Amino acid sequence: MKKIMITGALGQIGSELVNKMRTVYGNENVIATDIRDNGSDVTQNGPFEIVDVTDAKAMFDTAKKYQVDTMIHLAALLSATAEAKPLLAWNLNMGGLVNALEVARELNTQFFTPSSIGAFGPTTPKDQTPQDTIQRPTTMYGVNKVAGELLCDYYYQKFGVDTRGLRFPGLISYVTPPGGGTTDYAVEIYYEAIKNKTYTSYINKGTYMDMMYMPDALNAIIDLMEADASQLKHRNSFNVTAMSFEPDEIAAEIKKHIPEFTMNYDVDPVRQKIADSWPNSIDASSAIEEWGFKAEYDLSKMTVDMLEKLKLKVNA
Ligand code: SER
């Protein structure tokens, strides 16, 4: 039986992964942790503990108390916030990660942490970016992600910790909005389309980035963690993607359902610079070959679902 501890459980991925994993593995077997208690279902329908990931002892004590056999480490700052507060990002993203890896080493648990398309940089091949390629990111977030991938591989090679990771693209969901990311526009656009029928994009026309709908991201985490270790040639981290689009393309897709929808541009130079340093599209063939990665949602299927679910949420 799995006993899973999740850090950053109230964040963009965590708030949905906790519920998904509780459905799969049982409510009592998924220990949600975060730095705050927001009174949401995640904190109510199973074990929940306040844990600051920069406090190594608190993290270890909680993992030990529940005798966890799997650590899912999600607590981190996203790219735009990390660019605004680089030292805080280094301390939180790297300090939290090494503390979580130490728990995994000491308690001999399986380990997952997300990497990102942000682990690539301007000198990386931009189209169909391969699994193994140049990684010289120019953002603090990217530096954290590359260092994190290397550290996770190190813990596997040096200590035998079963570390696994995914390079996520922008994640889109109607549940918990992201905060401080560069790809957030692709979530905001749906909210604004429903509320105001117009959106001003801070990412410029023609800027392609990979994206994925949250249900596919959650399945990918579970499938990777369940995968037979002997099949994995890579570990930290696998390229995964479901679609690549630029702002005009997502706007056109929304227009099919809300014909009055209009979009303007007011480009934010900071986030645009980050987006320009990332790939246009990444190649997920290693994930497909080694553990059977698949994504169910493309742009049109995701848009139908997002608009339907968000309408209910916004009007509620
Ligand atoms: N969605 C993330 C960000 O924009 C990418 O990993 O920061």
Side-chain angles (χ1 to χ4, degrees):
M1 179 58 81
K2 277 198 186 290
K3 274 271 181 201
I4 303 159
M5 175 164 153
I6 301 183
T7 71
L10 300 179
Q12 187 199 6
I13 301 175
S15 56
E16 290 182 65
L17 185 64
V18 169
N19 287 331
K20 171 90 185 183
M21 286 190 143
R22 282 182 175 158
T23 309
V24 176
Y25 301 109
N27 289 19
E28 291 309 305
N29 295 320
V30 180
I31 295 86
T33 72
D34 206 292
I35 197 169
R36 68 209 153 101
D37 181 347
N38 66 356
S40 69
D41 52 351
V42 166
T43 68
Q44 306 285 320
N45 62 17
F48 175 77
E49 302 276 349
I50 302 269
V51 174
D52 175 349
V53 295
T54 62
D55 182 344
K57 185 171 182 317
M59 205 196 287
F60 179 82
D61 289 348
T62 306
K64 179 119 181 140
K65 174 178 159 189
Y66 288 95
Q67 298 186 305
V68 305
D69 58 29
T70 306
M71 288 291 288
I72 309 265
H73 178 59
L74 303 177
L77 294 186
L78 288 181
S79 56
T81 312
E83 232 21 51
K85 298 174 185 167
L87 191 61
L88 175 67
W90 177 266
N91 289 334
L92 179 71
N93 292 358
M94 300 314 299
L97 177 62
V98 82
N99 288 342
L101 281 166
E102 275 297 286
V103 172
R105 182 181 68 78
E106 289 191 57
L107 300 181
N108 193 24
T109 78
Q110 230 197 342
F111 188 88
F112 174 87
T113 199
S115 185
S116 161
I117 52 171
F120 298 116
T123 51
T124 301
K126 272 213 161 317
D127 298 303
Q128 288 300 307
T129 301
Q131 174 66 37
D132 300 308
T133 186
I134 298 164
Q135 287 182 270
R136 305 288 293 175
T138 47
T139 63
M140 177 50 92
Y141 182 69
V143 169
N144 295 167
K145 289 304 186 190
V146 174
E149 289 185 4
L150 294 173
L151 194 61
C152 288
D153 273 347
Y154 180 82
Y155 267 71
Y156 170 64
Q157 280 150 12
K158 175 95 177 171
F159 305 118
V161 178
D162 183 1
T163 56
R164 305 177 184 200
L166 297 170
R167 289 181 189 135
F168 275 133
L171 297 179
I172 296 171
S173 158
Y174 60 89
V175 181
T176 305
T182 301
T183 56
D184 298 9
Y185 92 89
V187 180
E188 290 169 10
I189 192 171
Y190 287 107
Y191 279 87
E192 292 305 311
I194 286 170
K195 286 192 206 155
N196 302 316
K197 304 206 177 340
T198 183
Y199 179 64
T200 303
S201 175
Y202 61 80
I203 292 293
N204 209 358
K205 194 189 281 271
T207 310
Y208 280 87
M209 284 185 279
D210 286 278
M211 303 281 173
M212 187 185 286
Y213 200 33
M214 190 62 87
D216 283 330
L218 304 181
N219 285 332
I221 294 173
I222 292 175
D223 289 350
L224 173 62
M225 295 308 277
E226 294 282 356
D228 179 352
S230 68
Q231 300 301 308
L232 302 182
K233 294 191 204 78
H234 296 86
R235 281 182 167 269
N236 305 287
S237 293
F238 284 94
N239 284 6
V240 285
T241 183
M243 62 195 96
S244 164
F245 56 75
E246 54 103 11
D248 271 355
E249 290 175 3
I250 183 171
E253 201 57 43
I254 291 172
K255 250 176 169 318
K256 288 182 190 166
H257 305 274
I258 306 175
E260 329 78 281
F261 178 69
T262 57
M263 190 167 68
N264 307 301
Y265 287 93
D266 182 11
V267 174
D268 167 15
V270 174
R271 284 177 288 184
Q272 184 61 41
K273 191 171 168 213
I274 297 174
D276 286 339
S277 77
W278 291 355
N280 295 332
S281 64
I282 63 173
D283 169 30
S285 54
S286 295
I288 294 166
E289 282 157 24
E290 293 175 39
W291 52 275
F293 165 70
K294 58 186 175 314
E296 208 189 300
Y297 288 87
D298 60 12
L299 177 58
S300 78
K301 193 172 173 191
M302 174 179 78
T303 299
V304 169
D305 201 59
M306 271 298 275
L307 291 176
E308 189 186 302
K309 302 277 172 43
L310 264 188
K311 262 180 211 149
L312 297 174
K313 186 176 170 183
V314 169
N315 295 331

